[in-house]
Amino acid sequence: MSTPTSSPSVNLKPETLARIDEVITHYPVKRSATLPLLHLIQEDAGYISEDAILWIAQKLELQPINVLEVVTFYPMFRRAPIGRRHIKVCRTLSCALLGGYKTCENFQKEFNTTLGATSPDGEVTVDFVECLASCGTAPVVLIDETLHEKVDAARVKQISAQIRAEAAARK
Amino acid sequence: MPAPAQHRLIFQHIDEPGYSNDIDCYLRNGGYEVLKKAVTQKPEDLREEVKKSGLRGRGGAGFPCGFKWSLVDRKSGKPIYLIVNADESEPGTFKDRYIMHQDPHQLIEGTMISCFANDVKQAYIYIRGEMPEGARILEKAIAEARAKNLVGPNILGTAYSCEIFVHRGAGAYICGEETGLIESLEGKRANPRIKPPYFPAVLGLYQCPTIVNNVETLCHVKHIVQQGGAEYAKIGTPGNTGTRIFCVSGHVQRPGYYEFPAGTITMGQLLNEVCGGPLPGRTFKAVIPGGSSAKVLRFGERYKGKRKVGADMVDYDWGVEDVPMDFDSLAMIGSMGGSGGVIVMDDTVNMVEALANINAFYQHESCGQCTPCREGSLWMKKISSRMVHGDARKEDAALLKSVADQIPGRTICAFGEACSWPTQSFLIKFKDEFEAYPEAKKTLPADRLSLV
């Protein structure tokens, strides 16, 4: 990672900046705010850019590597943009025992995409994730911030139709 | 023998019609009365009650909570921190989610009582990143409690002040390990810390004394302070006091969460009566009793030995169905009660494929710090996945076992054990199935459920 010659640009919304300043006060040591800042920036910008890493490092008085090593360690942080909606299907045992793999495959078919890739219309990214801690209602799927339970083939169709309807309404 | 009745202590209001997660509903149901009583008592007396209660941690290790608190360095002059471990992520475990979503104030009350009892001025709830809704609910609940002077400065007119903040993880299972969690809260990679110091109670967050307790454990503290440690200890069995929440998933008719007095229900009662038994036309094959890292039990096997009942040693000869679901009995038969996550597999499941699924999980979640775990979990995953998706060889069984045998005891944290126990136990108990897999694979139905 190159050393910035000028200030890194992140273009965050004013409310994100306000939340960033507030969250730093939660900790006696600024470095603790690394994960919260990464979450806030990813929620605002969609992903963690190189500038975002440099910006956080400056903000928290850290070396950029201290931020980068956190980004690469935690699976939820991503370095590139994804689809507008993020479909995360639980891959782990309890869900797999009740058809989690089929659920994941069905979502990929619905949106004409492959695992980890974004649909051609840019609308949806389908991923597998590890245990979502809702094993009693398997198979489960986290779409953006909402958990969907007992997602069998019929539910996949229903949910997919709804996502498409919401996308159409935006256009 | 019929299964005992459920005893809903922690889950009293879970899924109760009309019960909502706002503070008014909680107060209407007698909420925060225990905190009000607690702040008039001496902190050391509260700690003594928790000790008397015999409460064992509900996060997985079953470590005595009162003892954990007694290890806190109270003379260092440094601030003492309390961290709520809400990083629920052991596959098969799904109890804390319901507490945080449906009854967050129970957790906040338990946390505040525990903070007061330990002179903690700052608590953090470390919630897993995949629970954004839970994080929002907790933040709202804390704000409500703060507005009513139950969290924050000068709580209830006393001179005691304590703040709680919610801190979100970002998808790493290892953050459930308490020293990994502390590193993560410090803004670093969640690499568990080298021991000694053996307990964060001595040196934890920011090198200060730190208590890390599971969500459910802290809820139990509220009930202990409410009824008194001795009274609480009457629930359950000696050494396994209070109630225990079982999270049952996989191949049963009624999966879900069930709360019983600890040690009073057997595996057979839980699975056959409470959960309705196997799915139609199927039979139980195997069960993992305490989260996916617990050693698997095979239906049909017997466990024999001597155990202590009261003052006497008596012989036991149990099938899987007869095993009491408490920490000690499950440890005695070579597995563990862990986090209470019971994963059931029936006769449609091929054990090689089930293990391949588990191995993929542990490979993904190894923090990579220690070579035996980083490389071992990777090789176990590669071998078991190859068996399923590529060529399977008869000698793979022995190879898998030998990789697994070289991990435990050679790593900084217990993840080394966690990732090798599934492979070790599957290979010991289902050796026949692993050795037969290269041949059996040719005749397995092509349209069977994919597990990996």
Side-chain angles (χ1 to χ4, degrees):
Chain A
M1 185 167 291
S2 55
T3 311
T5 45
S6 60
S7 285
S9 82
V10 284
N11 276 327
L12 298 169
K13 297 185 185 93
E15 53 270 34
T16 304
L17 289 167
R19 288 181 69 190
I20 284 174
D21 286 331
E22 198 272 331
V23 84
I24 293 172
T25 66
H26 291 189
Y27 309 96
V29 176
K30 275 188 175 180
R31 186 172 181 174
S32 279
T34 307
L35 267 78
L37 262 56
L38 286 166
H39 275 303
L40 287 166
I41 291 179
Q42 184 161 289
E43 277 158 25
D44 185 318
Y47 71 104
I48 305 295
S49 65
E50 182 158 329
D51 269 2
I53 291 171
L54 297 169
W55 187 85
I56 292 173
Q58 277 184 8
K59 187 89 184 162
L60 300 180
E61 295 163 35
L62 300 169
Q63 294 302 317
I65 184 64
N66 300 140
V67 182
L68 176 65
E69 66 180 358
V70 167
V71 173
T72 58
F73 184 87
Y74 295 91
M76 283 179 75
F77 299 128
R78 48 182 179 264
R79 298 295 313 277
I82 56 163
R84 189 187 293 269
R85 310 293 298 272
H86 198 182
I87 300 179
K88 300 174 178 179
V89 182
C90 176
R91 190 209 65 82
T92 319
L93 188 59
S94 299
C95 282
L97 287 172
L98 290 164
Y101 274 74
K102 196 77 205 161
T103 297
C104 189
E105 202 184 298
N106 287 341
F107 271 120
Q108 293 169 46
K109 278 190 198 145
E110 285 285 340
F111 293 100
N112 185 25
T113 185
T114 53
L115 193 61
T118 300
S119 59
D121 58 0
E123 196 61 35
V124 163
T125 302
V126 181
D127 268 322
F128 257 144
V129 292
E130 297 301 338
C131 187
L132 289 170
S134 188
C135 319
T137 55
V140 294
V141 181
L142 185 66
I143 302 181
D144 302 326
E145 301 205 334
T146 308
L147 185 78
H148 299 262
E149 302 174 298
K150 298 184 184 172
V151 186
D152 55 12
R155 282 288 289 147
V156 170
K157 281 210 178 312
Q158 226 175 26
I159 293 167
S160 302
Q162 197 186 339
I163 290 176
R164 275 191 291 267
E166 284 164 11
R170 254 194 322 270
K171 276 170 193 160
Chain B
M1 205 171 61
Q6 280 203 64
H7 181 132
R8 292 272 192 114
L9 186 68
I10 305 301
F11 270 25
Q12 191 189 345
H13 298 296
I14 302 299
D15 288 342
E16 180 182 310
Y19 191 88
S20 52
N21 61 18
D22 55 277
I23 197 164
D24 293 329
C25 179
Y26 190 67
L27 291 171
R28 272 201 306 278
N29 285 275
Y32 289 108
E33 288 304 318
V34 189
L35 175 64
K36 286 178 193 164
K37 193 180 94 179
V39 294
T40 64
Q41 291 173 263
K42 281 195 200 139
E44 54 267 38
D45 293 346
L46 296 171
R47 296 202 295 270
E48 193 52 39
E49 291 304 318
V50 172
K51 223 183 227 175
K52 262 194 254 170
S53 74
L55 174 65
R56 293 171 72 167
R58 299 300 201 261
F63 195 81
C65 180
F67 183 55
K68 195 179 220 180
W69 288 8
S70 75
L71 298 169
V72 171
D73 182 354
R74 298 176 200 282
K75 299 201 178 89
S76 66
K78 295 186 210 170
I80 300 167
Y81 291 102
L82 184 140
I83 306 173
V84 183
N85 187 342
D87 193 60
E88 175 163 76
S89 40
E90 177 70 23
T93 316
F94 50 93
K95 56 190 178 64
D96 300 342
R97 165 189 287 281
Y98 293 99
I99 298 171
M100 295 187 285
H101 278 237
Q102 296 188 28
D103 205 4
H105 285 286
Q106 183 184 195
L107 171 62
I108 293 167
E109 184 172 12
T111 303
M112 290 308 296
I113 295 166
S114 304
C115 286
F116 178 76
N118 288 288
D119 197 25
V120 170
K121 304 284 176 1
Q122 177 65 60
Y124 293 99
I125 302 178
Y126 189 106
I127 184 169
R128 43 180 314 199
E130 296 90 333
M131 295 182 176
E133 203 187 329
R136 265 199 305 276
I137 291 168
L138 285 170
E139 275 173 350
K140 175 176 156 267
I142 293 167
E144 288 173 339
R146 195 180 289 126
K148 296 216 185 291
N149 193 218
L150 299 160
V151 169
N154 304 319
I155 290 161
L156 295 164
T158 64
Y160 175 67
S161 304
C162 180
E163 194 48 79
I164 308 180
F165 292 123
V166 176
H167 184 95
R168 290 182 61 202
Y173 165 84
I174 197 62
C175 294
E177 201 278 346
E178 60 182 10
T179 63
L181 185 152
I182 288 170
E183 287 287 301
S184 180
L185 188 45
E186 289 185 358
K188 303 169 193 164
R189 289 182 157 217
N191 292 342
R193 291 179 178 172
I194 292 172
K195 299 174 176 65
Y198 291 97
F199 297 101
V202 181
L203 288 173
L205 185 63
Y206 313 123
Q207 297 298 310
C208 296
T210 303
I211 296 165
V212 185
N213 280 140
N214 170 262
V215 168
E216 187 196 336
T217 309
L218 290 165
C219 292
H220 280 281
V221 170
K222 181 203 136 172
H223 298 278
I224 290 166
V225 170
Q226 182 169 17
Q227 32 186 288
E231 199 56 32
Y232 174 93
K234 289 181 188 162
I235 309 170
T237 52
N240 287 275
T241 57
T243 59
R244 188 96 168 101
I245 299 166
F246 299 106
C247 312
V248 186
S249 65
H251 295 151
V252 289
Q253 304 238 16
R254 290 190 292 275
Y257 41 78
Y258 302 97
E259 186 173 2
F260 289 96
T264 59
I265 189 165
T266 63
M267 182 69 91
Q269 289 169 329
L270 180 65
L271 300 188
N272 288 316
E273 293 172 44
V274 180
C275 298
L279 298 171
R282 304 201 196 164
T283 51
F284 289 143
K285 181 175 187 177
V287 58
I288 302 173
S292 72
S293 57
K295 291 187 177 178
V296 70
L297 307 177
R298 178 177 182 157
F299 282 85
E301 65 185 1
R302 309 276 326 163
Y303 313 98
K304 293 175 191 174
K306 280 188 184 299
R307 67 187 184 119
K308 222 173 157 185
V309 176
D312 306 320
M313 293 300 284
V314 297
D315 289 314
Y316 66 89
D317 179 1
W318 289 333
V320 174
E321 295 86 347
D322 309 319
V323 180
M325 296 293 287
D326 62 71
F327 287 115
D328 301 322
S329 301
L330 286 162
M332 217 153 58
I333 62 159
S335 188
M336 65 175 182
S339 52
V342 180
I343 307 174
V344 185
M345 289 169 271
D346 66 24
D347 55 344
T348 62
V349 178
N350 181 283
M351 299 315 280
V352 178
E353 298 174 359
L355 180 66
N357 179 290
I358 296 176
N359 284 349
F361 173 82
Y362 287 102
Q363 182 272 326
H364 185 262
E365 301 300 340
S366 172
C367 83
Q369 194 179 196
C370 310
T371 309
C373 168
R374 182 186 64 241
E375 299 301 317
S377 62
L378 177 63
W379 279 107
M380 291 191 295
K381 181 219 165 181
K382 281 185 170 176
I383 296 166
S384 50
S385 295
R386 169 176 53 70
M387 288 178 76
V388 178
H389 294 299
D391 288 329
R393 305 176 302 216
K394 191 166 182 293
E395 59 268 32
D396 286 332
L399 180 61
L400 266 173
K401 177 80 168 37
S402 84
V403 176
D405 287 346
Q406 294 175 73
I407 306 169
R410 296 182 169 95
T411 57
I412 287 171
C413 81
F415 190 99
E417 281 75 20
C419 77
S420 52
W421 284 344
T423 296
Q424 288 178 325
S425 61
F426 273 63
L427 263 299
I428 289 169
K429 300 192 172 181
F430 295 94
K431 191 167 178 234
D432 48 344
E433 202 167 326
F434 279 79
E435 290 183 345
Y437 189 69
E439 280 306 308
K441 200 180 156 181
K442 295 173 190 163
T443 58
L444 286 174
D447 62 344
R448 70 188 183 281
L449 214 55
S450 252
L451 293 184
V452 68

